Structures are given as structure tokens and as C-alpha cells.
Amino acid sequence: MDNEYFRGHLIDHAHGRIVFGIKGWRDAPSSTRERIEDGVGEFVACRWSRDRVRIDRDYFGNARLMHTSAKGVVAVSDSLLLLTSLRRVLSASVTPDEEVLAARAAPSQIAGQQISPRTMVREVSFVPPWVRIELCVDRLAVQEVTRSAASMLSAGESSVGADREVLRATAISMTRTAASLADFGSWRSVIHLSGGLDSRAVFAAVHAASGIGEAAYISRTRCGEATERDNAVARRLAFEFGLVPTDIDEATAWPMLRPADGFRLWAAGLAGVYDGFGPLGPRRRAAHDFELFGLGAGAHKGAWGWRSLDAIRDAATHTGPVRDALDAQLKVSAAGLGVDAGARNASELYYFGYRNGLHSGAEHIGLHMTGISPLQNVAFAQLGHSLGPDGRFYGECGEGILSLTALLSPPAAVFDYDTPRHSWTLNDAVNRQRDLGGPLSGPETSPYAQFGDPERIPQGPSQLALAMARAAGFPDEYSSAAALRYSQENLELIAGPLVDIYREVIANARWRLSRSQGDLFAAELPLARSMMLGLFRAVS
């Protein structure tokens, strides 16, 4: 390839390297550049020559990727709004996919995001994780080069000691990543901390890498007693270990810092692809913060119960056209992912393909690509889908992340959790650490070699996408009243049975708002779905 472009960051565990930014990609060793297909992090890489363009992104699919073709044009973007707007400008068709729209109306997070390669717009296709695309310039054609989710995650039976090797290797990669981030002078690490297991493992990696040092934390309370308890645990943990809060006390100030055009910010990147309002918080985060997330752990431990696709379909909705549409879409998903729909880990393979990465990147990736999810580790994900001697999947057993945390920091592993079922004694944690080879030390905690500069990674929203959101009439007032008003107007953009289906979606949003005293987070699932219909609005 003659030319290259790289945006975001890549962590090459195999060679002990971390690459940031556009210039950093060119400076990276060729061995790292050749491993782009297996790269973790948050990035999009583009290479092009006279006759071909190749586009890769991170293994877990944190960066969204869609494509469309029209007469004389082929386009790729992370924004469904931009692709539909481009088609309208070119006077090309923008057609609602009725089956997709009906399936997405199921009142469950199982349908709370892109659910197959087909988007809500017939002429736009979604690219699942571990699939790269190549554009043939002379024919303006798109070719998807695929490897199935089933083949890449299914590791067969777990051999004796395999869990020990993988857990230790994962702990080392997490710790070395955390140590590398602490090396960037004016940059600091900010941990998104909750009372649960996943963010605790990330916290433990930071603790194992260099102590807490200059690291800070964010914790968030949305509504209800459960999240208040979760937040309280996170704050106690931070106080005990000396982790400082950020300048924003999220429990009180965060909701008030939502930008006035928050719906347009959401529409610019997530509309139609992820049914949750984001990015969260202020328009721009601090310019020199690496944000560390426990998100993405579902690739290892699962999220939807280790069951068949029929079982999650039945859990998501009842009889009727919505159920029929969801059933059809899940079959499309299974075929594309290489998944046996009746397999006991089918739900988790589907989760990996259509929820894990989108959910992990949703709250920040529209503003920056310096979010770090240390639990997104290929071998750790594969371990979760390996079968143990008892016939259960390793991730199904539920102790992988707690064991990982114990290896990294026994005191962090046994500190209070939001629910007592995760609690081990300190003796339990120390014994597990010993079983896994003892505390990390020496080279196991050393920083990775670093290439490039995180300053070169662009920050802030796409101004073009925001302009398209404004042209499509997405509200400039971030309120439940504006969301309901826009949703109601969008019913005019669809026809037939979909109108009644989406009336029910809006009714569900009103009910959720009434129960939560108008909290938009409580109603974001149905509101996002009814507002995404604005993509069919003609761009003025």
C-alpha cells in the first residue's frame, strides 16, 4: 500500500508496544503494523493504493464501521446519519428496513443496538468485529473479508493449567498497559469506577502497575437505590486506596453538564446503531486524560445467560410481529457470525458481535479515541468460551475476573462490592494469587515501548455530523419534552404496521419517564429508538 492513515491507539501485547496517533503509526515497527488484524485498543486504520483501499479497526469493534454504495460513490463511516445524508444529497434512495425496525422495537437491551449486518436503512451495511473491508476503486465495490466470531472465540476444551497461563498473561498485559499510560507526562489515567467486578480489575491493574500515583476516578449515580449503593462502594474504595476524584463530582454535577445539543451529539454518531444517549457528560473531556473502563468484559464472562438465540428472543419480547422480526434478524446474525443458533454460548457470541464493542465505546468514542478497556484481551475472551471439565464454559462459571483481580491485588479483590456474592476473604485472594504464580514483578510490570503521541489523536465531535443532525431536525434542547415531541413527529416518516409498533415504543418511553420523575437515562432505550427515525427525515 502506498499511503496509510491511523487514528486512535493500538496495544500490541505480543510485541510489547503501544502506538498512538497518526504519526505514531508510521513510526511503529513493521511487525506491529502487520498485526493490525489482531490489534486491540480503539482505532481505525486505512491503507490505500491506486486501485484498492483497505480499512481495519480494533479486534473488538469499539470503532463503529458501516458502508454504502450509490452511483459513482462508495462511502465508509462510523455514522449512519452521515451515510444516509450523503445518499440524500446524491438523490439516492434511503429506504426503511421494516424487519430491522420492527425487531429493534423489542423492549429489551437484547435488541438495544445494531443486531445484524443489516441496518435500519436498507442501503447501508454494518461491519461486525474482526471483519475488514476492502474497496475496489475501479469498480467502486466493497468486499468484506471475514473471519467468524464463532471461530475466533471458540477455543474448544480448556487444557489443564490453561486458565492459569491466560489469566497471568492477561494480568501482565493490563499492568503493562497501565504502567505505559502513567509514563505520559502531563497525561493522567482516570478510572471509571463502580462497585462491580469489572472496573475493580482495572483498578487492581493500576494499583499493581505503579501504585495509584496521579490516577483519578469517576463514578456515576443515575437513579435508584442500587446505583447509589454502587457509587458509595466506589467512593469508599477510592478513599481507602488514595484515589482522587476528578474535578467533576458526577453524582451531583454530571447530569447538569450535559450539552444543550446532547441529542444532536448522539445523532451524529450513535443514532440507529446504539440505543443509548451518548457520549455522556460534557462536550469535551479533559484534553490529557486516558479514561480506563471495565467495559468489554462481556466478551469473557458473557452478559445474556449462556443460552440459545431462541431463548434470548423469548426473553426479549412476546408473540407478534416484533417477535417474528427479531427471530428473523437473529437468524441473519447467526449466519453472519458463524454461530449455531442453538448452541449454549450462542447468546454470548451474538453479544460479542453486536453489543460488546458498541457498548464499550458508546459513551466516549464520539469525542475521543483515548479510552482504554484493559479487559478487552483476545486470549481472555477465548478462555471465557472454552469448556471446563464440568461441561460449563469458563466464563459461565463467573470466577475469571475475580481471580484476575486477586492476582493483581488481593486487597482490591476483597474490598466491598455492590453485592456480597463477590466477596472472598483476603486469605482466599492470596491463595488464588499464589496458585496463579504469585505477585507480578520486574518485567511483568514494566511499561510497553511507546510510539507516537496521544496529542495527535483528534478530540471533539464531528462538526460535519453535527451539521447533518441539525439539518435533520434533531432537537437542540436536551429534555424529555423535546425528545417526546420529536419522537411523535417521526411517526410520519414510517408507514404500515410500523406506526403502531412505534406508538407503543413512545408509550413505553412516557411510562418510564413518569416512573423516574423525567430521568432521560431511565427512558433512553425507547426514546433513542423513536428518535432514530429522524434519520429518514429529508436533510434541508
Short mmCIF file of all heavy atoms in Angstrom, two decimals, residues 25 31 33 56 80 185 188 195 255 266 279 285 302 325 413 434 477 509 535:
data_model
loop_
_atom_site.label_atom_id
_atom_site.label_comp_id
_atom_site.label_asym_id
_atom_site.label_seq_id
_atom_site.Cartn_x
_atom_site.Cartn_y
_atom_site.Cartn_z
N TRP A 25 1.72 5.71 13.95
CA TRP A 25 1.50 4.53 13.11
C TRP A 25 2.63 4.37 12.10
O TRP A 25 3.16 3.29 11.90
CB TRP A 25 0.16 4.67 12.41
CG TRP A 25 -0.13 3.60 11.42
CD1 TRP A 25 -0.25 3.73 10.07
CD2 TRP A 25 -0.36 2.22 11.70
NE1 TRP A 25 -0.54 2.54 9.49
CE2 TRP A 25 -0.61 1.59 10.47
CE3 TRP A 25 -0.37 1.47 12.86
CZ2 TRP A 25 -0.87 0.22 10.37
CZ3 TRP A 25 -0.62 0.11 12.76
CH2 TRP A 25 -0.87 -0.49 11.53
N SER A 31 6.48 -5.14 12.31
CA SER A 31 5.85 -6.32 12.91
C SER A 31 4.54 -5.94 13.59
O SER A 31 3.58 -6.72 13.59
CB SER A 31 6.79 -6.98 13.92
OG SER A 31 7.19 -6.06 14.92
N ARG A 33 2.66 -3.28 12.69
CA ARG A 33 1.73 -2.89 11.62
C ARG A 33 1.14 -4.10 10.91
O ARG A 33 -0.01 -4.08 10.46
CB ARG A 33 2.45 -1.97 10.65
CG ARG A 33 2.81 -0.64 11.29
CD ARG A 33 3.95 0.04 10.60
NE ARG A 33 3.56 0.59 9.31
CZ ARG A 33 4.41 1.24 8.51
NH1 ARG A 33 5.65 1.40 8.88
NH2 ARG A 33 3.99 1.72 7.37
N ASP A 56 -9.21 -1.33 8.37
CA ASP A 56 -9.25 -2.20 9.54
C ASP A 56 -9.67 -1.37 10.75
O ASP A 56 -9.55 -0.15 10.75
CB ASP A 56 -7.86 -2.77 9.84
CG ASP A 56 -7.40 -3.76 8.80
OD1 ASP A 56 -7.80 -4.93 8.88
OD2 ASP A 56 -6.60 -3.37 7.92
N LEU A 80 -24.22 6.43 10.86
CA LEU A 80 -25.32 6.11 9.96
C LEU A 80 -25.97 7.38 9.44
O LEU A 80 -26.42 7.45 8.29
CB LEU A 80 -26.34 5.24 10.71
CG LEU A 80 -27.50 4.67 9.90
CD1 LEU A 80 -27.03 3.87 8.70
CD2 LEU A 80 -28.39 3.81 10.80
N GLY A 185 3.83 11.91 30.98
CA GLY A 185 3.99 13.26 31.50
C GLY A 185 2.73 13.95 31.96
O GLY A 185 2.20 13.66 33.03
N ARG A 188 -2.92 11.88 32.52
CA ARG A 188 -3.21 11.07 33.70
C ARG A 188 -4.24 10.00 33.34
O ARG A 188 -4.95 10.10 32.33
CB ARG A 188 -3.76 11.93 34.83
CG ARG A 188 -5.12 12.52 34.55
CD ARG A 188 -5.73 13.22 35.76
NE ARG A 188 -7.04 13.77 35.40
CZ ARG A 188 -7.85 14.35 36.27
NH1 ARG A 188 -7.50 14.47 37.54
NH2 ARG A 188 -9.03 14.82 35.88
N GLY A 195 -19.02 -0.22 41.80
CA GLY A 195 -18.88 -1.19 42.87
C GLY A 195 -18.83 -2.62 42.37
O GLY A 195 -18.88 -3.56 43.16
N PRO A 255 -25.19 15.28 35.57
CA PRO A 255 -26.40 15.47 34.76
C PRO A 255 -26.58 16.91 34.29
O PRO A 255 -27.14 17.16 33.23
CB PRO A 255 -27.53 15.05 35.71
CG PRO A 255 -26.88 14.14 36.69
CD PRO A 255 -25.51 14.71 36.89
N TRP A 266 -25.54 12.85 20.07
CA TRP A 266 -25.87 11.43 19.96
C TRP A 266 -26.20 11.07 18.51
O TRP A 266 -25.70 10.06 17.97
CB TRP A 266 -27.06 11.12 20.87
CG TRP A 266 -27.76 9.84 20.54
CD1 TRP A 266 -27.35 8.58 20.84
CD2 TRP A 266 -29.00 9.70 19.84
NE1 TRP A 266 -28.25 7.66 20.38
CE2 TRP A 266 -29.28 8.32 19.75
CE3 TRP A 266 -29.90 10.60 19.27
CZ2 TRP A 266 -30.42 7.83 19.12
CZ3 TRP A 266 -31.04 10.11 18.65
CH2 TRP A 266 -31.29 8.74 18.58
N PRO A 279 -22.29 10.62 23.36
CA PRO A 279 -21.42 10.46 24.52
C PRO A 279 -21.99 11.13 25.77
O PRO A 279 -22.77 12.07 25.68
CB PRO A 279 -20.12 11.14 24.10
CG PRO A 279 -20.16 11.15 22.61
CD PRO A 279 -21.60 11.30 22.26
N ARG A 285 -14.06 16.20 27.09
CA ARG A 285 -13.41 15.80 28.31
C ARG A 285 -12.09 16.56 28.46
O ARG A 285 -11.66 17.26 27.54
CB ARG A 285 -13.14 14.29 28.29
CG ARG A 285 -14.41 13.46 28.13
CD ARG A 285 -15.17 13.35 29.47
NE ARG A 285 -16.42 12.63 29.29
CZ ARG A 285 -16.52 11.31 29.32
NH1 ARG A 285 -15.46 10.57 29.51
NH2 ARG A 285 -17.69 10.73 29.18
N GLY A 302 -19.55 -13.17 29.41
CA GLY A 302 -20.91 -13.21 28.90
C GLY A 302 -21.78 -12.15 29.53
O GLY A 302 -21.39 -11.47 30.49
N ALA A 325 -40.01 -10.53 13.77
CA ALA A 325 -38.92 -9.78 13.15
C ALA A 325 -37.60 -10.01 13.88
O ALA A 325 -36.55 -10.18 13.25
CB ALA A 325 -39.25 -8.28 13.13
N ALA A 413 -9.16 -7.03 45.54
CA ALA A 413 -10.10 -8.09 45.20
C ALA A 413 -11.12 -8.34 46.30
O ALA A 413 -12.25 -8.75 46.03
CB ALA A 413 -9.35 -9.38 44.89
N ARG A 434 -1.29 -16.99 44.69
CA ARG A 434 -0.21 -17.97 44.73
C ARG A 434 -0.41 -19.05 43.68
O ARG A 434 0.51 -19.44 42.96
CB ARG A 434 -0.14 -18.59 46.13
CG ARG A 434 1.01 -19.59 46.31
CD ARG A 434 0.78 -20.47 47.52
NE ARG A 434 -0.44 -21.24 47.37
CZ ARG A 434 -1.33 -21.43 48.34
NH1 ARG A 434 -1.15 -20.89 49.54
NH2 ARG A 434 -2.42 -22.16 48.12
N GLU A 477 -32.52 21.02 22.25
CA GLU A 477 -32.83 21.11 23.68
C GLU A 477 -32.79 19.71 24.26
O GLU A 477 -33.53 18.82 23.83
CB GLU A 477 -34.23 21.70 23.88
CG GLU A 477 -34.70 21.71 25.32
CD GLU A 477 -36.19 21.98 25.44
OE1 GLU A 477 -36.81 22.40 24.44
OE2 GLU A 477 -36.73 21.74 26.54
N ALA A 509 -41.85 4.86 26.56
CA ALA A 509 -40.97 5.95 27.00
C ALA A 509 -41.69 6.87 27.97
O ALA A 509 -41.12 7.28 28.99
CB ALA A 509 -40.47 6.74 25.78
N LEU A 535 -33.60 9.78 11.12
CA LEU A 535 -32.66 9.54 10.02
C LEU A 535 -33.38 9.51 8.67
O LEU A 535 -32.75 9.70 7.62
CB LEU A 535 -31.93 8.22 10.23
CG LEU A 535 -30.97 8.13 11.42
CD1 LEU A 535 -30.39 6.74 11.53
CD2 LEU A 535 -29.86 9.15 11.31
#
